[in-house]
Amino acid sequence: MRLALFDLDDTLLDGDCSALWNNWMVERGWIASPGEYLARTQAMNAAYHAGRLRLEQYLAFTLSPLVGRHAEEVAIEVAAFVTIRIVPRVFPQGHKLMAHHRRQGDRLLLISSSSQHLVAPVAKQLGIEQVIAVEPALDEGVFTGDTTGVLSYRGGKVTRLEAWLTEHNATASHLSFYSDSKNDLPLLNRVNRPVVVNPDPVLAEIARVEGWERLDWRQEPRPTIQLTRLCHV
């Protein structure tokens, strides 16, 4: 099996799906103190990009508006959110790259540190069947505000990927992984072909030193050059 692994936020998506969802919840009146809530989530997002975030804290805070809500209610809201706010922000180059991997016969997998209730509907819209994301805990179909299992964050992405391969009784003959973040270095170092996309400054420098491929979709709206290179890998 050849696998093409994709991070979501700031990689396939021009933005962060969790941050966009936070704004959506505010607009829908799901947040009691919107100003305070958004200020705190923005501070946490800044900590994430600086590599200082404890994801457990962020998840506990951002899942709290869902506590007591049934998964079906949330799914209906997320479906509208994905259609209106997420789909238009997917990089056109990302669509072309995924199509390229499909033509090559590769299996696509979306692996994200965002929550499953957001990532899975995005993957469905993108035609990606396999998803690894943070698993929110449910009690009889109702969100509890907790998470279950290993968080798909930093080294947790490697752990979750290995578990996925075991679960599917699969051996990957070749792994490609596309990511923007230094937080994904454990998985980038694990795969056969690491590719950085719109990299943060730390990851950009590591990619330069290591000689990794780099795609800058925000600066280059047409990915013809990159796809030509990929065809020869």
Side-chain angles (χ1 to χ4, degrees):
M1 178 193 298
R2 291 176 57 93
L3 278 174
L5 313 172
F6 295 88
D7 178 49
L8 176 59
D9 301 322
D10 293 308
T11 302
L12 288 178
L13 176 67
D14 188 5
D16 183 290
C17 71
S18 296
L20 293 166
W21 171 247
N22 289 333
N23 287 318
W24 181 275
M25 289 193 294
V26 166
E27 294 169 11
R28 289 301 181 271
W30 286 16
I31 309 298
S33 303
E36 178 183 344
Y37 180 86
L38 290 178
R40 187 167 174 188
T41 57
Q42 288 163 7
M44 289 181 174
N45 282 330
Y48 168 81
H49 290 293
R52 299 192 305 266
L53 178 68
R54 288 190 63 238
L55 188 60
E56 296 87 347
Q57 292 180 337
Y58 179 80
L59 290 167
F61 186 68
T62 56
L63 287 173
S64 62
L66 305 184
V67 173
R69 296 184 185 272
H70 198 279
E72 291 183 3
E73 174 194 4
V74 175
I76 291 170
E77 199 65 43
V78 170
F81 161 73
V82 169
T83 300
I84 295 169
R85 296 290 168 81
I86 298 298
V87 171
R89 298 182 72 103
V90 175
F91 285 105
Q93 299 95 324
H95 285 294
K96 293 180 180 180
L97 181 58
M98 288 184 287
H100 165 77
H101 277 287
R102 291 187 181 101
R103 288 194 299 271
Q104 295 292 102
D106 298 340
R107 194 168 184 179
L108 275 57
L109 190 152
L110 193 59
I111 183 165
S112 173
S113 57
S114 292
S115 179
Q116 179 84 5
H117 77 282
L118 300 175
V119 179
V122 174
K124 184 176 181 180
Q125 284 279 359
L126 297 178
I128 299 177
E129 295 181 359
Q130 306 300 326
V131 176
I132 294 175
V134 169
E135 299 284 353
L138 300 175
D139 181 9
E140 296 184 353
V142 173
F143 282 84
T144 68
D146 296 323
T147 61
T148 63
V150 176
L151 300 181
S152 46
Y153 179 58
R154 295 182 176 170
K157 283 192 175 181
V158 176
T159 302
R160 292 285 302 277
L161 175 61
E162 298 292 353
W164 183 91
L165 290 168
T166 299
E167 178 185 349
H168 289 78
N169 194 27
T171 300
S173 60
H174 189 274
L175 291 167
S176 300
F177 178 41
Y178 299 85
S179 175
D180 71 294
S181 175
K182 60 182 174 292
N183 288 307
D184 281 336
L185 279 169
L187 186 51
L188 285 164
N189 281 308
R190 161 69 175 80
V191 301
N192 306 99
R193 182 169 164 268
V195 184
V196 301
V197 182
N198 313 315
D200 63 45
V202 172
L203 184 57
E205 177 60 15
I206 292 172
R208 184 191 68 79
V209 172
E210 296 291 336
W212 293 348
E213 295 176 61
R214 172 171 171 169
L215 307 176
D216 292 289
W217 290 345
R218 291 192 174 103
Q219 298 176 18
E220 300 178 11
R222 289 178 295 182
T224 305
I225 295 175
Q226 287 84 357
L227 287 179
T228 300
R229 290 182 62 198
L230 288 177
C231 290
H232 295 287
V233 173

PDB file of all heavy atoms in Angstrom, residues 85-98:
ATOM      1  N   ARG A  85     -17.969  27.635   5.084  1.00  0.00           N
ATOM      2  CA  ARG A  85     -16.724  28.247   5.541  1.00  0.00           C
ATOM      3  C   ARG A  85     -15.455  27.477   5.160  1.00  0.00           C
ATOM      4  O   ARG A  85     -14.391  28.072   5.073  1.00  0.00           O
ATOM      5  CB  ARG A  85     -16.759  28.413   7.064  1.00  0.00           C
ATOM      6  CG  ARG A  85     -17.829  29.354   7.552  1.00  0.00           C
ATOM      7  CD  ARG A  85     -17.520  30.802   7.185  1.00  0.00           C
ATOM      8  NE  ARG A  85     -18.672  31.660   7.395  1.00  0.00           N
ATOM      9  CZ  ARG A  85     -19.038  32.161   8.571  1.00  0.00           C
ATOM     10  NH1 ARG A  85     -18.327  31.867   9.648  1.00  0.00           N
ATOM     11  NH2 ARG A  85     -20.095  32.930   8.669  1.00  0.00           N
ATOM     12  N   ILE A  86     -15.569  26.160   4.987  1.00  0.00           N
ATOM     13  CA  ILE A  86     -14.370  25.365   4.768  1.00  0.00           C
ATOM     14  C   ILE A  86     -14.107  25.078   3.288  1.00  0.00           C
ATOM     15  O   ILE A  86     -13.008  25.337   2.784  1.00  0.00           O
ATOM     16  CB  ILE A  86     -14.441  24.041   5.556  1.00  0.00           C
ATOM     17  CG1 ILE A  86     -14.524  24.323   7.058  1.00  0.00           C
ATOM     18  CG2 ILE A  86     -13.227  23.174   5.235  1.00  0.00           C
ATOM     19  CD1 ILE A  86     -13.332  25.053   7.632  1.00  0.00           C
ATOM     20  N   VAL A  87     -15.093  24.557   2.608  1.00  0.00           N
ATOM     21  CA  VAL A  87     -14.888  24.157   1.214  1.00  0.00           C
ATOM     22  C   VAL A  87     -14.316  25.283   0.353  1.00  0.00           C
ATOM     23  O   VAL A  87     -13.374  25.053  -0.423  1.00  0.00           O
ATOM     24  CB  VAL A  87     -16.201  23.617   0.610  1.00  0.00           C
ATOM     25  CG1 VAL A  87     -16.053  23.400  -0.894  1.00  0.00           C
ATOM     26  CG2 VAL A  87     -16.591  22.304   1.288  1.00  0.00           C
ATOM     27  N   PRO A  88     -14.799  26.526   0.484  1.00  0.00           N
ATOM     28  CA  PRO A  88     -14.222  27.590  -0.353  1.00  0.00           C
ATOM     29  C   PRO A  88     -12.770  27.924  -0.011  1.00  0.00           C
ATOM     30  O   PRO A  88     -12.096  28.599  -0.802  1.00  0.00           O
ATOM     31  CB  PRO A  88     -15.130  28.798  -0.057  1.00  0.00           C
ATOM     32  CG  PRO A  88     -16.398  28.217   0.467  1.00  0.00           C
ATOM     33  CD  PRO A  88     -15.969  27.006   1.240  1.00  0.00           C
ATOM     34  N   ARG A  89     -12.276  27.468   1.142  1.00  0.00           N
ATOM     35  CA  ARG A  89     -10.925  27.805   1.569  1.00  0.00           C
ATOM     36  C   ARG A  89      -9.910  26.690   1.290  1.00  0.00           C
ATOM     37  O   ARG A  89      -8.736  26.825   1.637  1.00  0.00           O
ATOM     38  CB  ARG A  89     -10.914  28.122   3.068  1.00  0.00           C
ATOM     39  CG  ARG A  89     -11.766  29.329   3.451  1.00  0.00           C
ATOM     40  CD  ARG A  89     -11.669  29.598   4.942  1.00  0.00           C
ATOM     41  NE  ARG A  89     -10.366  30.131   5.282  1.00  0.00           N
ATOM     42  CZ  ARG A  89     -10.119  31.419   5.537  1.00  0.00           C
ATOM     43  NH1 ARG A  89     -11.092  32.314   5.437  1.00  0.00           N
ATOM     44  NH2 ARG A  89      -8.903  31.814   5.855  1.00  0.00           N
ATOM     45  N   VAL A  90     -10.353  25.602   0.698  1.00  0.00           N
ATOM     46  CA  VAL A  90      -9.409  24.544   0.336  1.00  0.00           C
ATOM     47  C   VAL A  90      -8.579  25.030  -0.851  1.00  0.00           C
ATOM     48  O   VAL A  90      -9.114  25.524  -1.843  1.00  0.00           O
ATOM     49  CB  VAL A  90     -10.147  23.242  -0.017  1.00  0.00           C
ATOM     50  CG1 VAL A  90      -9.159  22.177  -0.502  1.00  0.00           C
ATOM     51  CG2 VAL A  90     -10.916  22.726   1.196  1.00  0.00           C
ATOM     52  N   PHE A  91      -7.263  24.904  -0.737  1.00  0.00           N
ATOM     53  CA  PHE A  91      -6.382  25.370  -1.799  1.00  0.00           C
ATOM     54  C   PHE A  91      -6.678  24.621  -3.100  1.00  0.00           C
ATOM     55  O   PHE A  91      -6.744  23.384  -3.099  1.00  0.00           O
ATOM     56  CB  PHE A  91      -4.916  25.139  -1.423  1.00  0.00           C
ATOM     57  CG  PHE A  91      -4.380  26.094  -0.393  1.00  0.00           C
ATOM     58  CD1 PHE A  91      -4.180  25.685   0.908  1.00  0.00           C
ATOM     59  CD2 PHE A  91      -4.066  27.404  -0.746  1.00  0.00           C
ATOM     60  CE1 PHE A  91      -3.673  26.553   1.861  1.00  0.00           C
ATOM     61  CE2 PHE A  91      -3.555  28.287   0.193  1.00  0.00           C
ATOM     62  CZ  PHE A  91      -3.357  27.863   1.505  1.00  0.00           C
ATOM     63  N   PRO A  92      -6.833  25.320  -4.222  1.00  0.00           N
ATOM     64  CA  PRO A  92      -7.000  24.628  -5.508  1.00  0.00           C
ATOM     65  C   PRO A  92      -5.842  23.671  -5.791  1.00  0.00           C
ATOM     66  O   PRO A  92      -6.047  22.593  -6.357  1.00  0.00           O
ATOM     67  CB  PRO A  92      -7.029  25.780  -6.525  1.00  0.00           C
ATOM     68  CG  PRO A  92      -7.454  26.978  -5.746  1.00  0.00           C
ATOM     69  CD  PRO A  92      -6.889  26.785  -4.365  1.00  0.00           C
ATOM     70  N   GLN A  93      -4.633  24.060  -5.370  1.00  0.00           N
ATOM     71  CA  GLN A  93      -3.479  23.176  -5.558  1.00  0.00           C
ATOM     72  C   GLN A  93      -3.638  21.875  -4.791  1.00  0.00           C
ATOM     73  O   GLN A  93      -3.128  20.827  -5.200  1.00  0.00           O
ATOM     74  CB  GLN A  93      -2.192  23.874  -5.112  1.00  0.00           C
ATOM     75  CG  GLN A  93      -1.870  25.141  -5.890  1.00  0.00           C
ATOM     76  CD  GLN A  93      -2.390  26.395  -5.186  1.00  0.00           C
ATOM     77  OE1 GLN A  93      -3.461  26.367  -4.562  1.00  0.00           O
ATOM     78  NE2 GLN A  93      -1.653  27.480  -5.281  1.00  0.00           N
ATOM     79  N   GLY A  94      -4.332  21.964  -3.640  1.00  0.00           N
ATOM     80  CA  GLY A  94      -4.581  20.764  -2.853  1.00  0.00           C
ATOM     81  C   GLY A  94      -5.466  19.780  -3.593  1.00  0.00           C
ATOM     82  O   GLY A  94      -5.216  18.565  -3.588  1.00  0.00           O
ATOM     83  N   HIS A  95      -6.518  20.288  -4.237  1.00  0.00           N
ATOM     84  CA  HIS A  95      -7.385  19.426  -5.026  1.00  0.00           C
ATOM     85  C   HIS A  95      -6.596  18.729  -6.135  1.00  0.00           C
ATOM     86  O   HIS A  95      -6.752  17.525  -6.375  1.00  0.00           O
ATOM     87  CB  HIS A  95      -8.516  20.252  -5.649  1.00  0.00           C
ATOM     88  CG  HIS A  95      -9.587  20.660  -4.680  1.00  0.00           C
ATOM     89  ND1 HIS A  95     -10.425  19.745  -4.075  1.00  0.00           N
ATOM     90  CD2 HIS A  95      -9.963  21.884  -4.215  1.00  0.00           C
ATOM     91  CE1 HIS A  95     -11.281  20.388  -3.284  1.00  0.00           C
ATOM     92  NE2 HIS A  95     -11.011  21.680  -3.349  1.00  0.00           N
ATOM     93  N   LYS A  96      -5.723  19.486  -6.801  1.00  0.00           N
ATOM     94  CA  LYS A  96      -4.940  18.909  -7.900  1.00  0.00           C
ATOM     95  C   LYS A  96      -3.948  17.875  -7.384  1.00  0.00           C
ATOM     96  O   LYS A  96      -3.724  16.840  -8.025  1.00  0.00           O
ATOM     97  CB  LYS A  96      -4.222  20.027  -8.652  1.00  0.00           C
ATOM     98  CG  LYS A  96      -5.174  20.950  -9.404  1.00  0.00           C
ATOM     99  CD  LYS A  96      -4.424  22.048 -10.139  1.00  0.00           C
ATOM    100  CE  LYS A  96      -5.404  22.955 -10.883  1.00  0.00           C
ATOM    101  NZ  LYS A  96      -4.699  24.044 -11.609  1.00  0.00           N
ATOM    102  N   LEU A  97      -3.365  18.154  -6.224  1.00  0.00           N
ATOM    103  CA  LEU A  97      -2.409  17.209  -5.658  1.00  0.00           C
ATOM    104  C   LEU A  97      -3.083  15.909  -5.242  1.00  0.00           C
ATOM    105  O   LEU A  97      -2.561  14.809  -5.484  1.00  0.00           O
ATOM    106  CB  LEU A  97      -1.700  17.844  -4.460  1.00  0.00           C
ATOM    107  CG  LEU A  97      -0.647  17.001  -3.757  1.00  0.00           C
ATOM    108  CD1 LEU A  97       0.449  16.574  -4.731  1.00  0.00           C
ATOM    109  CD2 LEU A  97      -0.048  17.775  -2.588  1.00  0.00           C
ATOM    110  N   MET A  98      -4.262  16.024  -4.615  1.00  0.00           N
ATOM    111  CA  MET A  98      -4.992  14.809  -4.244  1.00  0.00           C
ATOM    112  C   MET A  98      -5.377  14.000  -5.479  1.00  0.00           C
ATOM    113  O   MET A  98      -5.282  12.765  -5.482  1.00  0.00           O
ATOM    114  CB  MET A  98      -6.233  15.184  -3.421  1.00  0.00           C
ATOM    115  CG  MET A  98      -5.910  15.666  -2.009  1.00  0.00           C
ATOM    116  SD  MET A  98      -7.385  15.982  -1.007  1.00  0.00           S
ATOM    117  CE  MET A  98      -8.000  17.502  -1.758  1.00  0.00           C
TER     118      MET A  98
END
